Amino acid sequence: MIKSVDVIVPIYNEEKTIETVINKLENTDFCSLNKRLILVDDASCDNTKNILSKYNNHLVIYKETNTGKGSAVAEGISHATADIIVIQDADLEYSPDDYNKLLPFIINGQADVVYGSRLKDKSNEKNFLFLSLIANKFLTSLTNLLYGSSLTDMETCYKAFRRECIKDFKINAKKFDFEPEITAKILKNKLRLKEIPIAYNPRNYIEGKKVKGLDALHAVFTLFYYRFFD
């Protein structure tokens, strides 16, 4: 019986948004499951650490060196003990309320993994930067070609997992190659994966995207590597 959820939040230099994100997570009921936040600071160099020091009611992990989002998520997974694991970015691009759309499919035994797709509803395409949309569609199409899947948004942050299904995965990703790596392993292990449409409110250039062009090349390499060599 599903009773609990661990919410992993990878954080790097998010002093402007992290308090709002934590407050929203605290006020989201996550389908009434017992909830714990696992806040993983990836060696922030702004005021983020000082802000996190106020949240003694949550598990806060401070990494000594900055190694990227993937390693922060993997660190969070290694500390997870709940029945379900979800991931929440530390900016305001995704609404925590949308997890209440994803979790019932795991709670009711209909899926092992649920992705919150920003592109299942095509009206969301207008919210993407043009190059980000093209890159996302290319990587998702490549995933479907290599793994025989029918995903619409492989690169989404919003992913919910039955912990039992992924706890033995060895995550090698350090940066934004986490998304293709975890997706490749889910598909190769034939886990039951479902996509549900969610809202998306992207940050703009002034606020600063951390994903770079080189990350797309790493994603391509990752998809090929786990399809043919692992």
Side-chain angles (χ1 to χ4, degrees):
M1 186 177 191
I2 303 294
K3 296 181 178 180
S4 57
V5 58
D6 279 336
V7 184
I8 298 172
V9 187
I11 305 161
Y12 179 64
N13 288 352
E14 297 288 2
E15 60 181 8
K16 294 181 179 179
T17 59
I18 188 58
E19 287 184 282
T20 301
V21 168
I22 292 173
N23 289 338
K24 285 188 174 184
L25 289 171
E26 289 177 334
N27 290 315
T28 300
D29 70 0
F30 287 88
C31 295
S32 300
L33 297 175
N34 294 325
K35 172 181 61 184
R36 179 177 65 154
L37 305 189
I38 302 178
L39 311 171
V40 186
D41 180 73
D42 193 24
S44 294
C45 51
D46 62 359
N47 195 45
T48 297
K49 289 182 181 179
N50 290 332
I51 295 171
L52 292 176
S53 66
K54 301 186 299 184
Y55 292 97
N56 296 323
N57 53 323
H58 303 304
L59 175 58
V60 184
I61 301 167
Y62 299 97
K63 295 178 60 188
E64 293 184 0
T65 56
N66 174 255
T67 50
K69 176 185 175 180
S71 64
V73 173
E75 182 73 22
I77 291 174
S78 72
H79 286 82
T81 58
D83 300 311
I84 296 177
I85 296 172
V86 303
I87 302 169
Q88 168 73 45
D89 273 355
D91 52 34
L92 297 173
E93 292 190 337
Y94 299 81
S95 170
D97 290 332
D98 276 339
Y99 268 122
N100 286 318
K101 301 176 184 177
L102 275 61
L103 294 177
F105 293 94
I106 298 179
I107 294 170
N108 297 330
Q110 297 171 270
D112 302 310
V113 179
V114 185
Y115 282 16
S117 171
R118 299 162 294 176
L119 292 171
K120 205 166 180 66
D121 179 354
K122 290 188 179 297
S123 66
N124 264 344
E125 290 187 4
K126 66 181 183 297
N127 295 329
F128 281 75
L129 297 172
F130 178 72
L131 290 179
S132 295
L133 179 63
I134 296 301
N136 191 316
K137 287 193 169 187
F138 169 74
L139 291 172
T140 298
S141 296
L142 181 61
T143 301
N144 292 335
L145 177 65
L146 290 174
Y147 295 89
S149 53
S150 56
L151 296 174
T152 62
D153 188 8
M154 181 274 290
E155 287 284 341
T156 181
C157 160
Y158 260 28
K159 295 174 167 68
F161 318 89
R162 282 186 59 230
R163 186 180 66 86
E164 189 66 26
C165 291
I166 67 162
K167 65 181 179 62
D168 294 326
F169 286 1
K170 184 180 185 300
I171 304 299
N172 299 303
K174 298 300 182 186
K175 299 183 179 180
F176 294 97
D177 46 344
F178 171 80
E179 314 298 352
E181 179 179 344
I182 194 71
T183 300
K185 291 181 175 179
I186 286 166
L187 295 173
K188 286 189 74 172
N189 282 274
K190 301 188 183 306
L191 300 182
R192 296 173 301 160
L193 191 159
K194 188 173 183 64
E195 280 190 312
I196 301 298
I198 61 169
Y200 182 54
N201 180 36
R203 67 169 82 189
N204 59 37
Y205 279 122
I206 295 174
E207 291 167 329
K209 294 289 289 182
K210 297 186 177 75
V211 182
K212 309 299 180 185
L214 190 59
D215 293 310
L217 294 179
H218 287 159
V220 171
F221 172 82
T222 299
L223 289 169
F224 274 97
Y225 176 81
Y226 286 104
R227 174 62 180 86
F228 296 110
F229 302 106
D230 182 74

